[in-house]
Amino acid sequence: CSSDLLALETALQQYNAINSSSRRLNLIVFEFVMRHVARVCRSIQQPYGSVMLVGLGGSGRRSVCKLAAVVLNYTVCTPTPSRSYTRDAWREDLSIALKSAGERGQPTMLLLVDADITQEAFCEDISNLLNTGEVPGLFSADSFDPIAHNLKPALRDAGIDFNLEAAMEMFIARVRANLHFALCFSPVGTTLRERLR
């Protein structure tokens, strides 16, 4: 147990060493944190695995998810909503996460908290990604073309002839395999209940 705590503290130090002071995790690692990190790691390592952590603000949900991603060497994508956060900005943030998972084949955690979902339409996009691995209309033909060409080597390695349809199928399959959601929501109020319906 103490060696596991030490390994987790080492991962935390590595994360803090490569991130700016505003993005550092100021955590005290103890057994309870370690168990939650292990649960998140176990869940998102499953095929198509994602997690939803429900708890009050300040309870460490987001920090535990970030630390789990560090342990697993996953890329963490988080939107940066503002007062003027539009659906177009949301879709741009989604496209960054999807390119990481689908184009580069990098295991990616899309970390979302209540405040990130400024429009209920975002929930539909999350649902689409969880169910099918794509968001209809997210990529136009022109914006998908460079992604398709970057997938040529992966298609060749899989023995598949290059065409846009094959590239799109591979992209979606890789998104489904590599994109993992970490949804951190608060039980306070009715918002969570309404979103779960």
Side-chain angles (χ1 to χ4, degrees):
C1 188
S2 62
S3 63
D4 294 334
L5 285 172
L6 185 61
L8 200 55
E9 286 178 3
T10 302
L12 178 62
Q13 290 170 357
Q14 290 172 346
Y15 176 86
N16 286 337
I18 61 172
N19 284 288
S20 65
S21 60
S22 64
R23 298 192 66 180
R24 287 192 180 135
L25 295 175
N26 295 318
L27 290 176
I28 298 172
V29 179
F30 54 100
E31 189 174 345
F32 192 68
V33 171
M34 182 183 67
R35 287 183 183 181
H36 280 297
V37 169
R39 287 180 185 113
V40 171
C41 287
R42 189 170 51 245
S43 296
I44 64 175
Q45 281 183 302
Q46 298 297 317
Y48 314 115
S50 292
V51 295
M52 180 166 61
L53 285 76
V54 178
L56 299 176
S59 60
R61 298 163 297 166
R62 190 172 9 185
S63 298
V64 163
C65 289
K66 285 182 182 178
L67 193 51
V70 170
V71 168
L72 296 173
N73 198 28
Y74 283 19
T75 300
V76 178
C77 294
T78 56
T80 52
S82 63
R83 288 181 185 225
S84 60
Y85 195 63
T86 63
R87 182 144 187 182
D88 290 338
W90 159 256
R91 287 185 160 226
E92 180 61 33
D93 287 339
L94 274 185
S95 71
I96 292 168
L98 268 62
K99 286 176 185 177
S100 173
E103 182 179 0
R104 292 190 292 280
Q106 171 66 34
T108 303
M109 175 188 284
L110 182 55
L111 178 59
L112 300 169
V113 297
D114 294 295
D116 296 334
I117 302 174
T118 59
Q119 298 177 24
E120 291 307 311
F122 298 176
C123 292
E124 185 178 335
D125 293 338
I126 294 168
S127 179
N128 283 328
L129 281 169
L130 286 168
N131 289 315
T132 65
E134 65 178 319
V135 176
L138 182 65
F139 295 105
S140 66
D142 290 339
S143 65
F144 186 73
D145 197 46
I147 296 170
H149 286 286
N150 288 336
L151 289 173
K152 273 185 180 179
L155 287 164
R156 189 176 333 111
D157 292 345
I160 301 170
D161 291 332
F162 175 77
N163 62 58
L164 286 179
E165 186 177 317
M168 178 58 89
E169 287 177 15
M170 175 171 272
F171 180 77
I172 292 170
R174 288 172 69 156
V175 166
R176 292 196 74 206
N178 292 316
L179 184 66
H180 305 276
F181 282 89
L183 306 173
C184 302
F185 293 149
S186 171
V188 176
T190 61
T191 306
L192 178 61
R193 281 192 300 270
E194 291 168 1
R195 286 181 179 158
L196 290 176
R197 288 187 189 153

